[in-house]
Amino acid sequence: QVQLVESGGGLVQAGDSLRLSCTTSGSILSENRVGWYRQSPGKQREFVASIPVRGDPVYAGSVKGRFMIFRDSKKDIVYLQMNSLKPEDTNRYYCDILGHPDYWGRGTQVTVSS
């Protein structure tokens, strides 16, 4: 498998913001749809947002209006900007290249206190 690197998580208060980053080698991110997911131990993976090569992003209803996914094509990075964070957003966040399950990452932890 090929490693994806997620970063930017941390411990914040409700209402704060974080920006998560997803990076890897080469141009694979710019050539495919990229998604952000979150998963806690013992639970199923939950879709958060995805961005196509070209076109409009897609968001889960629980984050729409608060989160934004976007690309920096020059550096081949996909970001997840998270605003107005809620305690229920607490989770470990992962990025994935749609259609390429061989790419994986360790995720980044987001913890939101009340």
Side-chain angles (χ1 to χ4, degrees), residues 37-46 87-94 108-111:
Y37 298 79
R38 57 193 184 188
Q39 186 174 23
S40 295
K43 296 185 178 181
Q44 293 295 113
R45 187 177 70 165
E46 178 188 1
E88 48 263 47
D89 295 318
T90 295
N91 226 314
R92 193 161 187 87
Y93 285 72
Y94 302 84
T108 185
Q109 180 68 35
V110 173
T111 303

Side-chain angles (χ1 to χ4, degrees), residues 7-77:
S7 62
L11 174 62
V12 298
Q13 292 182 287
D16 285 352
S17 298
L18 285 171
R19 180 176 290 183
L20 308 185
S21 300
C22 176
T23 63
T24 191
S25 300
S27 60
I28 188 69
L29 291 175
S30 63
E31 296 171 351
N32 295 274
R33 177 181 287 271
V34 178
W36 281 96
Y37 298 79
R38 57 193 184 188
Q39 186 174 23
S40 295
K43 296 185 178 181
Q44 293 295 113
R45 187 177 70 165
E46 178 188 1
F47 169 79
V48 175
S50 70
I51 184 168
V53 176
R54 299 185 66 179
D56 296 331
V58 177
Y59 298 96
S62 59
V63 306
K64 194 170 186 177
R66 298 189 297 121
F67 291 10
M68 181 179 294
I69 185 172
F70 62 99
R71 298 177 179 271
D72 182 342
S73 59
K74 291 184 178 180
K75 295 186 286 187
D76 205 24
I77 301 172

Side-chain angles (χ1 to χ4, degrees), residues 82-104:
M82 305 186 296
N83 300 321
S84 302
L85 283 163
K86 304 175 181 179
E88 48 263 47
D89 295 318
T90 295
N91 226 314
R92 193 161 187 87
Y93 285 72
Y94 302 84
C95 61
D96 284 274
I97 302 174
L98 278 295
H100 292 272
D102 53 310
Y103 281 70
W104 65 274

